Amino acid sequence: MKLRKASAAAAAAVALALTVTACGSGKKDDAAGSGSAGGGDKITIGIKIDQPGIGLKTPDGKYTGFDVDVAKYVAKELGYEEGDIVFKETKSADRETAIERGDVKFIAASYSINDKRLAKVDFAGPYLLAHQDLLVRADDNSITKAEDLNKKKLCSVAGSTSAQNVHDTLAPKAQLLEFGGYSECLTGLENKTVDALTTDDSILAGYAAQEAHKGKFKLAGLKLSNENYGIGLKKGDAELKDKINKALEKMVSDGSWQKAVDANFGPAGYKSEPAPKIGNIVK
């Protein structure tokens, strides 16, 4: 009699354990994980928080921008609702480190794919083709080509290759100034402590379109390089890379990509290139 009771109790315990396991699996994509935050119910994504139109944290704590919209779409395809996302600021100089040590699961932060970065991290995408350009003061007509930057002060941010590319190939006598963020460069441009800010045209358009900056700055309209924005993730995570690529393809095919482009870049009059094909890196 006691043996029967013990057997019945053991069977009930097994059944309960199976039920709890099934309920606990949820909808989350196991390949997505949660980075260092949460226990599988959250996903930590690296973004920029000071780039209008790309990635911006507003005074009320909300996140806006094209990269933010891409990150939200991808996260949803991986099984995460918007409330499950933990956005983490990742400055240009910190992106590879943040991925390598697991601070974030992936990064969508105007992150251009290049060989140097590919040696440390993997990329899904690209999901946007931008071009390096210059932002100058609206009343400054002295800079119409990259060579005009010789003997002028050129600003970019630490960890970005934009200013160095211009200096090395087009304007070797330009004086390079590196600040911690684009907002600092913008302040320097307005105060005339720098003559030009260089980075991707998509980022520059976002700044120029801000209400507080309208009429103060203009894009030079130069296509100094091709910048293929990709989603950075840990080296060797082929499963996650494949899932993100599929999410990006779906975002384009269902019209969500174009909707995000129009919403974030349209107010600046910036015309983006067509959505790039996955794996198509434009040199």
Side-chain angles (χ1 to χ4, degrees):
M1 189 68 174
K2 290 181 179 180
L3 181 60
R4 287 182 180 176
K5 289 182 178 179
S7 298
V14 170
L16 178 60
L18 290 173
T19 301
V20 171
T21 300
C23 292
S25 62
K27 297 191 300 178
K28 307 296 186 274
D29 192 313
D30 292 338
S34 61
S36 61
D41 294 328
K42 299 285 185 180
I43 184 167
T44 306
I45 302 173
I47 59 168
K48 293 291 182 66
I49 66 169
D50 65 344
Q51 293 180 351
I54 296 290
L56 181 70
K57 185 177 182 180
T58 60
D60 59 0
K62 295 181 180 179
Y63 298 92
T64 65
F66 181 71
D67 282 350
V68 173
D69 288 344
V70 170
K72 288 178 180 178
Y73 190 98
V74 170
K76 187 173 183 180
E77 289 302 301
L78 294 175
Y80 293 85
E81 297 301 325
E82 190 170 334
D84 300 327
I85 300 172
V86 177
F87 284 121
K88 183 179 179 67
E89 180 187 11
T90 49
K91 294 182 179 293
S92 295
D94 301 330
R95 288 178 296 203
E96 287 82 38
T97 301
I99 292 171
E100 289 174 333
R101 69 186 177 201
D103 292 347
V104 296
K105 195 62 182 179
F106 64 80
I107 290 178
S110 55
Y111 203 1
S112 298
I113 303 170
N114 62 38
D115 292 340
K116 183 178 180 180
R117 291 166 180 164
L118 280 168
K120 296 181 178 181
V121 301
D122 279 344
F123 284 94
Y127 62 89
L128 183 73
L129 175 59
H131 303 284
Q132 186 180 345
D133 201 352
L134 303 175
L135 190 70
V136 298
R137 288 181 291 276
D139 60 355
D140 185 355
N141 297 314
S142 67
I143 302 173
T144 59
K145 56 186 184 298
E147 290 78 5
D148 292 334
L149 290 168
N150 282 310
K151 297 184 179 181
K152 290 185 179 288
K153 295 177 181 178
L154 176 64
C155 187
S156 193
V157 301
S160 172
T161 59
S162 299
Q164 194 65 51
N165 289 342
V166 173
H167 180 271
D168 291 348
T169 62
L170 299 170
K173 294 182 181 180
Q175 182 180 346
L176 300 185
L177 296 175
E178 280 193 344
F179 290 167
Y182 291 107
S183 296
E184 296 171 56
C185 283
L186 201 68
T187 299
L189 183 60
E190 185 172 5
N191 294 338
K192 299 186 178 181
T193 56
V194 300
D195 298 303
L197 162 59
T198 184
T199 187
D200 305 343
D201 51 7
S202 55
I203 298 171
L204 297 176
Y207 282 121
Q210 281 187 300
E211 191 64 36
H213 298 145
K214 284 184 178 179
K216 294 181 180 180
F217 310 111
K218 63 183 179 183
L219 274 73
L222 311 179
K223 292 186 178 182
L224 302 176
S225 69
N226 294 320
E227 305 297 332
N228 300 272
Y229 286 7
I231 291 182
L233 63 150
K234 186 164 287 188
K235 194 77 174 173
D237 196 340
E239 184 178 1
L240 179 58
K241 179 179 177 179
D242 182 62
K243 289 179 181 294
I244 294 176
N245 278 335
K246 284 182 169 58
L248 294 174
E249 289 173 344
K250 182 178 178 181
M251 187 178 186
V252 173
S253 65
D254 70 11
S256 298
W257 184 90
Q258 190 61 53
K259 183 179 178 180
V261 166
D262 294 341
N264 292 291
F265 299 137
Y270 167 72
K271 295 181 180 180
S272 71
E273 299 277 4
K277 292 182 179 180
I278 299 300
N280 183 25
I281 308 299
V282 179
K283 299 293 186 179

